[in-house]
Amino acid sequence: MNEAYSTDRLDKQQSANNAVRMEARLTKLETDREHDRLWFKTLEQRLGEGLDKVRTELHNESQLLRADLTQFRGDLRDCHALRTELGDIRKHMHTHFLWFMGIQATTTFALLGLGAKALHMY
């Protein structure tokens, strides 16, 4: 009987020790959970601030790119207008060149004709 009593007492003591260890583990787990929750909250806040900063920088860059694109389109229109104007000048100069060549040819043939008449007269 003494043996059964001591075994029962030992089992109760071990159960009490296990309960104390489990209570300590539970307290540690709760403390760790609170620490993790605060850590994740801080991480979330930092990520949010970082995302806001990146979003702002991207917005500013896109505004600059839009301004550059607008300037480029204006320059492209100016280049196209200049190209059209140069084409018109080239056509105009070609017309003047043909007109000048026509006058030169006419003058040359007229002089040749006068020269031939002059030779026939003598």
Side-chain angles (χ1 to χ4, degrees), residues 7 15 65:
T7 304
S15 291
L65 287 173

Side-chain angles (χ1 to χ4, degrees), residues 4 60 83 112:
N60 293 341
R83 181 175 170 231
L112 283 174

Side-chain angles (χ1 to χ4, degrees), residues 23-39:
E23 188 71 30
R25 280 187 188 163
L26 185 60
T27 304
K28 184 177 181 333
L29 286 174
E30 287 174 353
T31 303
D32 289 348
R33 181 192 300 161
E34 182 63 22
H35 176 265
D36 290 347
R37 190 182 69 75
L38 290 173
W39 186 81

Side-chain angles (χ1 to χ4, degrees), residues 13-74:
Q13 194 176 19
Q14 284 178 346
S15 291
N17 286 341
N18 285 341
V20 168
R21 274 191 244 125
M22 292 299 270
E23 188 71 30
R25 280 187 188 163
L26 185 60
T27 304
K28 184 177 181 333
L29 286 174
E30 287 174 353
T31 303
D32 289 348
R33 181 192 300 161
E34 182 63 22
H35 176 265
D36 290 347
R37 190 182 69 75
L38 290 173
W39 186 81
F40 279 114
K41 188 175 183 179
T42 303
L43 179 64
E44 183 180 14
Q45 184 179 4
R46 285 182 184 168
L47 287 174
E49 290 168 0
L51 285 174
D52 289 342
K53 184 178 177 184
V54 167
R55 193 176 293 122
T56 301
E57 288 177 11
L58 284 175
H59 178 72
N60 293 341
E61 284 295 321
S62 69
Q63 292 297 89
L64 290 174
L65 287 173
R66 282 189 185 119
D68 288 347
L69 183 61
T70 302
Q71 179 66 37
F72 176 74
R73 285 180 179 155

